[in-house]
Each structure stands twice: as C-alpha cells, then as structure tokens.
C-alpha cells in the first residue's frame, strides 16, 4: 500500500486481501472511490501492469508541464543541458533579470521539474538541481537553460523509470 494524504495505491496477488482492506477502510471513512485497472495514475505517475511486470513513467505529467510553460516548446534537445550549465553571469543588459511574471513561471516550472526528476526522470537531475539555485533571481540565461530541459523532455516525454519488474504472480492493482 502506498498512502499519500487521501490517495492510496494497493497491489496484491490475492484479491481477497484488497477487498478486506477496502472494507475495513470504508467502515472508518465511508464509501471509497475504488478503481481496478491495469493502468493507473497515482500522484502524477503512470503505472501499467502486464504479464507480471510494471512500467512506471510520468508521461502525462511531463506533457502537461511542457504545455503549461508560457512559451511553446516545439523543438527538441538531445540532452538536458548545454556545456555552459554551471556558468553564472551577473545580470546585465544582455542578461537581464526576469520580470515578475516570468520569474514566477520559472520558479513554478523548476519546482515541477524537481518533482519529476525525483520520481521518474533521473536523467534531468543535474540541470534541475542547478536551476533550483537560480529561482530567487533568475536571469535570461537561466530561462534559456530551463527551456533546454523542457526541449529535452519534449524529445521523449514517455521515458520510463522502470520498464520491467518481474512479480512472482500476476497482480490486480487497485486504487
């Protein structure tokens, strides 16, 4: 059982065990919204169960993140960061501080990327870690680095964290 506030993800090889747990929880909390499926979304993560294996990704979360970004992301990047990732230049005429609205978008997007890289996209950890150091006073160069991470994600939003974990017996996942 994975439990986060009021969201639970349960898997078990014996359906009876899950039914007993759901029944017990309903006695305490009332009628629960239960979904039985081989494809589940839980906290922005996509789980697909088949043939004793599970695939975990955050494709939908990634696509929504890209769509919410204030600029269209319509080109790809082959990697999440350029060679100049760790270069920090002082604000200047060529590298102005971002305006309030753009700085808020930078902060919001970086926070979502932090969630994404902690769950399913470990391949963007280094640039996201750097971007988190820039949220207090982001400049135009930081915006470019953020956009590069998004272009990399646009290249392959469905990249899996795990592709196959063999389970001893097929399961019936429940939420």
């Amino acid at each position: 059982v994975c439990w986060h506030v009021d969201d639970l993800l349960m898997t078990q090889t014996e359906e009876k065990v899950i039914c007993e747990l759901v029944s017990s929880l309903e006695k305490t909390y009332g009628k629960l919204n239960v979904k039985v499926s081989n494809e589940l979304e839980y906290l922005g993560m996509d789980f697909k169960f088949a043939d004793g294996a599970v695939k975990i990704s955050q494709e939908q979360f990634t696509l929504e993140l890209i769509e919410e970004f204030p600029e269209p992301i319509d080109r790809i990047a082959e990697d999440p960061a350029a060679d100049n990732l760790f270069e920090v230049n002082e604000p200047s005429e060529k590298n102005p501080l971002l305006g309030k609205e753009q700085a808020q978008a930078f902060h919001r997007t970086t926070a979502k990327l932090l969630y994404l890289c902690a769950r399913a996209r470990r391949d963007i950890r280094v640039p996201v870690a750097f971007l988190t150091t820039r949220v207090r006073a982001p400049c135009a160069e930081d915006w470019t680095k953020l956009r590069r991470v998004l272009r990399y994600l646009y290249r392959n939003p469905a990249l899996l964290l795990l592709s196959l974990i063999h389970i001893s017996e097929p399961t019936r996942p429940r939420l």
Side-chain angles (χ1 to χ4, degrees):
V1 177
C2 296
W3 196 318
H4 182 265
V5 187
D6 63 351
D7 291 320
L8 283 80
L9 173 68
M10 297 183 269
T11 64
Q12 173 57 255
T13 55
E14 295 183 36
E15 191 167 337
K16 179 183 173 187
V17 174
I18 290 180
C19 290
E20 289 172 358
L21 181 56
V22 169
S23 177
S24 176
L25 289 170
E26 285 184 333
K27 286 177 186 173
T28 303
Y29 300 105
K31 183 70 177 148
L32 300 177
N33 182 11
V34 178
K35 179 181 177 184
V36 178
S37 178
N38 288 330
E39 293 188 13
L40 299 170
E41 184 275 329
Y42 180 69
L43 303 178
M45 298 174 66
D46 303 312
F47 294 83
K48 295 180 182 179
F49 298 86
D51 302 321
V54 62
K55 294 180 180 181
I56 304 172
S57 74
Q58 284 191 275
E59 179 178 9
Q60 192 59 41
F61 181 89
T62 302
L63 292 171
E64 289 170 6
L65 174 65
I66 292 167
E67 185 64 31
E68 290 171 2
F69 192 65
E71 292 180 11
I73 302 297
D74 52 8
R75 294 186 4 222
I76 65 168
E78 292 298 319
D79 48 45
D83 292 340
N84 69 340
L85 176 65
F86 298 111
E87 291 177 18
V88 177
N89 295 307
E90 294 297 319
S92 67
E93 196 173 305
K94 289 184 177 183
N95 184 33
L97 288 171
L98 301 181
K100 183 178 179 182
E101 196 172 302
Q102 196 176 19
Q104 287 175 341
F106 181 93
H107 193 154
R108 183 176 50 254
T109 304
T110 300
K112 289 181 178 187
L113 288 172
L114 188 59
Y115 179 81
L116 180 64
C117 78
R119 302 294 180 289
R121 293 300 298 259
R122 307 263 162 76
D123 52 332
I124 62 170
R125 275 185 150 176
V126 172
V128 171
F130 172 79
L131 292 170
T132 63
T133 69
R134 305 297 302 153
V135 295
R136 292 183 88 187
C139 298
E141 289 177 358
D142 302 316
W143 186 262
T144 299
K145 293 170 184 179
L146 175 64
R147 194 172 46 231
R148 170 117 182 191
V149 174
L150 295 174
R151 286 178 175 164
Y152 172 74
L153 292 171
Y154 182 69
R155 177 178 169 259
N156 188 358
L159 190 65
L160 299 175
L161 169 63
L162 301 172
S163 58
L164 291 176
I165 299 176
H166 292 286
I167 302 167
S168 58
E169 296 179 32
T171 62
R172 289 196 56 125
R174 289 182 175 256
L175 179 64

